[in-house]
Amino acid sequence: DNTSNGYTLGANLAYTEPLSKNAQIQIEYNPSYQKNKADQQTFLFDGQKYSILDTTLSNKFDNTVLTHNGGISYRYNPNKDEMLMFGVNYQYSTLSSDRIFPTVSKVNQPFSNLLPNAMWRKKLSARSNFRLFYRASTNFPSVTQLQDVVNLSNPLRVSVGNPALEQAYTHTLGGRYMFTNTKTSRSFFANIFLQTTGNYISNATYIATADSTLQPGIVLKRGSQLTKPVNLNGYNSLRSFFTYSTPIKKLKTTVNLNAGLTYSRLPGQVNYVNTFTNNYVYNAGVVLASNISQYVDFNVNYNVNFNQ
């Protein structure tokens, strides 16, 4: 039996003050409290049913994240067609991991981060606009990734958590272009997002060359694999999506053409050797949507994905 539950409490307080006709500042404070609990109970067979608690494969684990996030941002509108905003937040977080059973242990980790952000929006014409934005963010490991209990449900692929995991720190840069012609019902959208992450939460795999003792009473057999979450650097990703829409008046149908590319560079580790996996996904599609009368309409679509 492996149950987990949790909850998050948060608030958002903001104060805005105009500096001039075209400029203003905003001060904000965002506290949050996150509590998660995981309880894994493993039972041995008593001859009739599984009722004998196996303490070596059972674990109770609590995880608490307390975050204080405050910052200031500046917004400037030189005219009605342009907007520039940038700011920075300071975030102080504590990650407390408590093992309650079978033995008691605690891991407390404090984190201090500066999280900058910026956005620029420009109206290029009456029908098109462009937006560019940047932000930094953090991501904490889940309670199941932190829970240091061995999972032997598949003895050839054994897994265990890592209570020493740290938060991941991500930079995101994105751009969006939009064009809409209401007279001709034509539109075009382009989206591109770039990400890079430090301390990315990945998996390390260890292949046993001989029978190895993980804990008293738990043996990893030769040839079996042990997987454990770890923090690694080197994660990068790119996501893009493009779509074009135009009507076919004779058929009373709208045609949507879309295409995109997703690239990710995933760090990993095998027997203490760092590895990188480059993954490419190409996708394209077409949609024919029509409302030819008040009684009949149709939607035909085709999508293709190519993974490398």
Side-chain angles (χ1 to χ4, degrees), residues 87-98:
V88 63
N89 283 38
Y90 173 75
Q91 179 175 286
Y92 179 78
S93 305
T94 56
L95 173 62
S96 300
S97 302
D98 300 325

Side-chain angles (χ1 to χ4, degrees), residues 12 18 20-21 32 37 52 68 75 78 82 127 156 193 220-221 227-228 237 240-241 247 257 290 300 302-304:
N12 181 15
S20 65
K21 182 179 179 181
S32 68
K37 296 183 178 182
I52 303 174
H68 299 276
R75 178 171 176 171
E82 188 173 6
R127 298 171 179 174
L156 297 179
F193 301 94
L220 182 68
K221 298 295 184 179
T227 301
K228 181 179 182 179
S237 72
S240 62
F241 181 76
L257 304 174
S290 177
V300 179
Y302 173 77
N303 293 282
V304 59

Side-chain angles (χ1 to χ4, degrees), residues 12 14-17 24-28 71-75:
N12 181 15
Y15 173 75
T16 303
E17 178 70 21
Q24 64 181 17
I25 62 169
Q26 178 173 290
I27 301 172
E28 61 179 351
I72 186 171
S73 60
Y74 174 79
R75 178 171 176 171

Side-chain angles (χ1 to χ4, degrees), residues 212-275:
S212 306
T213 300
L214 300 178
Q215 297 176 8
I218 303 178
V219 177
L220 182 68
K221 298 295 184 179
R222 181 173 65 89
S224 298
Q225 296 183 7
L226 173 67
T227 301
K228 181 179 182 179
V230 294
N231 292 109
L232 297 172
N233 292 321
Y235 171 84
N236 296 299
S237 72
L238 179 148
R239 291 182 295 120
S240 62
F241 181 76
F242 307 91
T243 180
Y244 174 73
S245 178
T246 184
I248 301 178
K249 295 183 178 180
K250 293 182 178 180
L251 301 178
K252 296 183 179 180
T253 302
T254 300
V255 178
N256 294 300
L257 304 174
N258 58 76
L261 164 67
T262 300
Y263 163 76
S264 57
R265 183 175 187 260
L266 304 171
Q269 195 177 85
V270 178
N271 287 347
Y272 301 99
V273 177
N274 290 341
T275 65

Side-chain angles (χ1 to χ4, degrees), residues 14-265:
Y15 173 75
T16 303
E17 178 70 21
L19 299 179
S20 65
K21 182 179 179 181
N22 300 322
Q24 64 181 17
I25 62 169
Q26 178 173 290
I27 301 172
E28 61 179 351
Y29 171 58
N30 305 306
S32 68
Y33 176 84
Q34 181 177 338
K35 185 75 172 183
N36 293 283
K37 296 183 178 182
D39 184 3
Q40 177 172 307
Q41 299 182 19
T42 305
F43 298 91
L44 300 175
F45 195 60
D46 64 1
Q48 295 182 342
K49 59 182 179 179
Y50 288 90
S51 62
I52 303 174
L53 182 65
D54 186 349
T55 57
T56 60
L57 297 177
S58 298
N59 182 285
K60 289 185 178 182
F61 195 89
D62 287 358
N63 177 47
T64 304
V65 178
L66 179 62
T67 301
H68 299 276
N69 185 312
I72 186 171
S73 60
Y74 174 79
R75 178 171 176 171
Y76 178 63
N77 296 83
N79 51 64
K80 63 179 182 179
D81 296 332
E82 188 173 6
M83 188 272 287
L84 174 66
M85 183 178 68
F86 56 88
V88 63
N89 283 38
Y90 173 75
Q91 179 175 286
Y92 179 78
S93 305
T94 56
L95 173 62
S96 300
S97 302
D98 300 325
R99 187 207 301 144
I100 303 171
F101 180 85
T103 59
V104 176
S105 68
K106 294 180 178 291
V107 177
N108 294 317
Q109 300 185 78
F111 300 97
S112 297
N113 301 105
L114 289 177
L115 305 175
N117 64 85
M119 183 175 70
W120 175 60
R121 187 175 66 228
K122 175 70 174 179
K123 185 177 181 181
L124 303 177
S125 67
R127 298 171 179 174
S128 63
N129 63 80
F130 176 76
R131 187 178 73 164
L132 182 69
F133 69 90
Y134 161 79
R135 66 173 179 267
S137 60
T138 60
N139 182 42
F140 283 93
S142 66
V143 65
T144 54
Q145 291 173 325
L146 292 165
Q147 189 180 23
D148 57 342
V149 58
V150 178
N151 186 339
L152 280 178
S153 58
N154 184 347
L156 297 179
R157 294 182 178 272
V158 181
S159 62
V160 64
N162 182 6
L165 283 175
E166 299 182 359
Q167 66 174 0
Y169 189 94
T170 300
H171 300 274
T172 302
L173 177 66
R176 176 174 297 169
Y177 173 79
M178 301 174 61
F179 172 84
T180 303
N181 189 333
T182 55
K183 292 184 178 181
T184 62
S185 298
R186 289 186 173 91
S187 63
F188 175 73
F189 300 92
N191 300 271
I192 298 179
F193 301 94
L194 298 170
Q195 274 192 344
T196 179
T197 301
N199 274 343
Y200 179 76
I201 301 175
S202 183
N203 286 320
T205 301
Y206 309 96
I207 303 173
T209 57
D211 290 357
S212 306
T213 300
L214 300 178
Q215 297 176 8
I218 303 178
V219 177
L220 182 68
K221 298 295 184 179
R222 181 173 65 89
S224 298
Q225 296 183 7
L226 173 67
T227 301
K228 181 179 182 179
V230 294
N231 292 109
L232 297 172
N233 292 321
Y235 171 84
N236 296 299
S237 72
L238 179 148
R239 291 182 295 120
S240 62
F241 181 76
F242 307 91
T243 180
Y244 174 73
S245 178
T246 184
I248 301 178
K249 295 183 178 180
K250 293 182 178 180
L251 301 178
K252 296 183 179 180
T253 302
T254 300
V255 178
N256 294 300
L257 304 174
N258 58 76
L261 164 67
T262 300
Y263 163 76
S264 57
R265 183 175 187 260

